[in-house]
């Protein structure tokens, strides 16, 4: 390790800039006057070029060949009209903003620059133009870029540049090092915490991550089909949660609201900004400040404690009794799967077109009962997944991976750090929410998470969570392009990593991103897995056939018959909130209405009990403004009465004893 770097905890993940500190075990942060929340408001004052230079990795205007007059004009509206409407509202509430500014704005639109300076706003660099990206330049050019930013701000505004949000959130692997060497003290591109965090630099100069927001940000909010009232409600809830949590051991939190004049300055939205600020600015325990003041206070009072702190070993916590594993009868046999990709005449046959389970329409089934004849079992699968800094070149990952506005050239900080937020903060918020409702948590963890977050893995075991295996990483999916040898290795690496981290070998599997090859169920059984969570095709558990479907592949001796616990995909937080763009109210309705209907059918229908398996991601459902929605939905679910909840392994063991 180079001299001066903050020493990361052993095994920390690339790029080794951040030590893992769970929010439940870190030094206490105190803000001036014992404020609970440091609030900074970040208007993004930008200029997108009419004919930007071609970038080798990223196209600015993808709607049409350049120029894109509609896209250009939409953003130009913000500087000509929306900015002035926004500033009136910010003035009304006495907001001292931190303006994320493309510094060429001072040249192109001097009136806009003067208005920001006159109001005492802090200017944070957002690059020179929002159409020129750091990810495409070398170290010499990037070093010159910071000199240009510093000199431009000093000449136009008389301010010393203290921090940056990368132009269009672009970065290089050296960005934190070069920022620190240029004298900047904070970087706003890391979305991984609710508090400032030290960032290691090669020179040893101090650089702090000040949490910006990719969630309370009008661009993703409005592009994800939410309206102004949703945005206001999200901000209010975010503040309520952070104020409440600031009474815990970690202390003061940071809240950022990111705005764009071409969006929030629209006539039909700006009154919503006023309603938002009316609430945010009405609390005596909120310190409305700037990003550099947050960073400087943290450096002066907390940086050294954070850099030196190592969490204590997790302490045992009361856990729910686990149901004993019940052996199953011998699995069914079926015709071996042969040449799955050889095409020929269409096969007109009854039932499924694969050998892993039988066709079974719900009305024709025998009765299935949960313990105590509960009409509805409710489980929760929390997904802890890692997105690699540099995935192997031949690794397969989803083209529509969620977590950022778009797939960015490496390093893609939104993708990398938003999941880190889940590991550092969101996981504990979700676990607390589930425990309040006595909903058992199964945590699906990939190998890289198990290897590099040993404290968290131990903490989850001490809390009584079942740990399910989830492959190697979210950036290394198992697909039919893999050989049987490679897939076996991936499964073994996942199981071995979790066993090393927790002392227990998983028997439950949830494939990364829910993607399988045609071999996966058989190879999982061969590895000793007896419960799989990949198939969202039912409301009751069912047995799967894995013996004899692949030549020479058989379940590990003593492994019970494979059982599928179907997840309820419509309520999956990523599927509902990210891909389908459901509102938070809509997500709550999905959960509560589905539970009510399943509960009624489970009580009244001859086929018996139903299963509602929720899938939750700490970086998504664990955000401060979303967790209360889940909490409210679970209130309604539990109020139905007679709910059975258990880990995935326990649910599978009971189901297997009933179905065998």
């Amino acid at each position: 390790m180079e001299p001066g770097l903050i020493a990361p905890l052993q095994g920390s993940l690339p790029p080794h800039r951040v030590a893992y500190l769970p929010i439940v075990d870190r030094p206490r942060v105190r803000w001036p006057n014992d404020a609970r929340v440091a609030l900074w408001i970040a208007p993004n004052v930008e200029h997108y070029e009419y004919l930007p230079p071609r970038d080798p990795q990223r196209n600015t205007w993808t709607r049409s060949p350049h120029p894109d007059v509609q896209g250009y004009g939409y953003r130009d509206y913000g500087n000509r009209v929306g900015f002035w409407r926004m500033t009136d509202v910010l003035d009304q509430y006495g907001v001292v903003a931190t303006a994320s500014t493309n510094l060429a704005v001072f040249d192109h639109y001097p009136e806009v620059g003067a208005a920001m300076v006159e109001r005492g706003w802090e200017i944070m660099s957002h690059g020179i133009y929002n159409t020129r990206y750091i990810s495409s330049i070398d170290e010499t050019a990037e070093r010159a870029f910071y000199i240009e930013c510093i000199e431009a701000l000093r000449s136009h505004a008389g301010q010393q540049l203290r921090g940056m949000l990368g132009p269009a959130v672009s970065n290089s692997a050296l960005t934190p090092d070069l920022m620190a060497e240029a004298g900047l003290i904070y970087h706003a591109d890391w979305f991984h915490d609710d508090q400032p965090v030290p960032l290691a630099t090669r020179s040893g100069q101090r650089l702090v991550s000040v949490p910006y927001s990719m969630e309370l940000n009008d661009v993703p909010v409005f592009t994800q089909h939410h309206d102004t009232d949703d945005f206001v409600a999200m901000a209010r809830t975010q503040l309520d949660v952070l104020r409440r949590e600031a009474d815990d051991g970690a202390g003061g939190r940071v809240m950022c609201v990111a705005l764009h004049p071409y969006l929030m300055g629209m006539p039909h939205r700006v009154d919503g900004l006023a309603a938002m600020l009316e609430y945010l600015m009405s609390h005596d325990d909120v310190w409305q400040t700037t990003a550099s003041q947050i960073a400087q206070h943290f450096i002066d009072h907390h940086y050294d404690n954070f850099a030196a702190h190592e969490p204590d070993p997790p302490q045992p916590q009361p856990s729910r009794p686990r149901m004993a594993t019940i052996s199953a009868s011998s699995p069914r046999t079926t015709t071996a799967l042969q040449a799955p990709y050889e095409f020929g005449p269409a096969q007109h046959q009854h039932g499924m077109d694969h050998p892993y389970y039988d066709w079974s329409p719900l009305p024709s089934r025998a009765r299935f009962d949960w313990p105590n004849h509960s009409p509805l079992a409710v489980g929760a699968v929390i997904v802890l997944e890692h997105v690699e800094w540099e995935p192997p070149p031949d690794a397969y990952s989803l083209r529509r991976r969620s977590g950022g506005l778009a797939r960015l050239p490496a390093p893609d900080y939104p993708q990398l750090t938003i999941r880190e937020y889940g590991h550092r903060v969101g996981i504990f918020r979700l676990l607390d929410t589930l425990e309040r409702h006595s909903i058992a948590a199964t945590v699906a963890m990939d190998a890289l998470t198990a290897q590099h977050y040993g404290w968290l893995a131990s903490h989850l075991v001490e809390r009584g969570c079942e740990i399910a295996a989830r492959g190697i990483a979210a950036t290394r999916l198992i697909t039919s392009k893999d050989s049987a040898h490679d897939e076996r290795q991936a499964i073994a690496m996942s199981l071995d990593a979790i066993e090393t981290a927790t002392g227990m070998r998983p028997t439950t599997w949830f494939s990364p991103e829910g993607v399988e090859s045609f071999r996966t169920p058989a190879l999982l059984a061969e590895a000793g897995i007896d419960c799989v969570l990949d198939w969202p095709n039912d409301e009751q558990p069912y047995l799967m056939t894995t013996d004899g479907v692949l030549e020479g592949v058989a379940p590990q001796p003593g492994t019970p018959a494979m059982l599928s616990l179907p997840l309820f995909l419509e309520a999956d937080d990523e599927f509902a909130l990210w891909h389908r763009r459901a509102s938070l109210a809509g997500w709550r309705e999905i959960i509560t209405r589905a539970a009510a209907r399943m509960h009624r059918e489970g009580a009244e229908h001859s086929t018996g009990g139903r299963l509602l398996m929720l899938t939750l991601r700490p970086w998504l459902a664990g955000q401060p403004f979303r967790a209360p929605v889940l909490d409210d939905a679970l209130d309604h679910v539990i109020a139905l009465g007679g709910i059975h909840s258990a880990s995935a392994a326990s649910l599978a063991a009971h189901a297997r004893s009933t179905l065998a």
Side-chain angles (χ1 to χ4, degrees), residues 530-574:
D530 59 38
C531 176
V532 66
L533 304 171
D534 293 345
W535 300 70
N537 58 341
D538 214 304
E539 291 176 8
Q540 291 183 326
Y542 58 89
L543 292 169
M544 299 186 75
T545 297
T546 56
D547 193 8
V549 301
L550 292 176
E551 186 175 351
V553 177
Q556 193 175 106
T559 301
M562 178 74 76
L563 188 121
S564 174
L565 284 180
L567 302 178
F568 191 66
L569 187 61
E570 284 282 322
D572 177 295
D573 58 356
E574 186 177 45

Side-chain angles (χ1 to χ4, degrees), residues 192-313:
H192 64 311
D193 217 294
D194 286 334
Q195 292 181 321
V197 173
L199 296 175
T201 64
R202 66 186 181 185
S203 65
Q205 290 168 290
R206 295 187 170 192
L207 186 69
V208 173
S209 164
V210 174
Y212 180 70
S213 183
M214 194 59 74
E215 297 276 5
L216 284 183
N217 183 318
D218 52 8
V219 171
V221 167
F222 296 138
T223 57
Q224 290 179 11
H225 311 308
H226 299 305
D227 60 24
T228 306
D229 290 343
D230 293 328
F231 193 24
V232 174
M234 290 158 63
R236 290 170 60 106
T237 303
Q238 181 99 345
L239 183 65
D240 290 345
V241 170
L242 293 179
R243 288 178 63 234
R244 181 175 67 245
E245 292 180 346
D247 290 331
D248 67 14
R253 302 305 205 260
V254 173
M255 175 173 170
C256 176
V257 180
L259 308 169
H260 293 73
Y262 74 93
L263 291 172
M264 211 62 193
M266 286 283 177
H268 59 289
R269 293 195 181 108
V270 76
D271 287 344
L273 176 60
M276 181 190 297
L277 293 175
E278 180 75 32
Y279 188 77
L280 300 182
M281 300 292 286
S282 67
H283 297 82
D284 294 336
D285 56 4
V286 172
W287 176 36
Q288 200 283 298
T289 185
T290 65
S292 71
Q293 288 177 310
I294 293 170
Q296 192 64 59
H297 180 89
F298 183 82
I299 289 171
D300 292 342
H301 299 281
H302 303 296
Y303 185 102
D304 290 334
N305 289 337
F306 266 62
H309 184 75
E310 293 190 13
D312 292 330

Side-chain angles (χ1 to χ4, degrees), residues 437-516:
H437 298 88
S438 298
I439 301 296
T442 297
V443 179
M445 178 184 297
D446 59 33
L448 291 185
T449 295
Q451 288 176 355
H452 297 290
Y453 296 88
W455 187 97
L456 179 56
S458 297
H459 176 83
L460 294 170
V461 172
E462 297 296 349
R463 289 186 78 144
C465 301
E466 178 195 355
I467 308 298
R470 191 171 166 81
I472 298 174
T475 39
R476 300 196 209 180
L477 305 190
I478 292 172
T479 75
S480 292
K481 294 183 177 181
D482 296 321
S483 68
H485 175 266
D486 289 344
E487 184 169 355
R488 279 192 177 97
Q489 282 196 319
I491 293 169
M493 179 178 175
S494 181
L495 300 177
D496 290 347
I498 293 174
E499 186 173 22
T500 299
T502 67
M504 296 183 292
R505 197 165 185 84
T507 59
T508 300
W509 179 272
F510 184 16
S511 294
E513 306 290 9
V515 176
E516 291 188 354

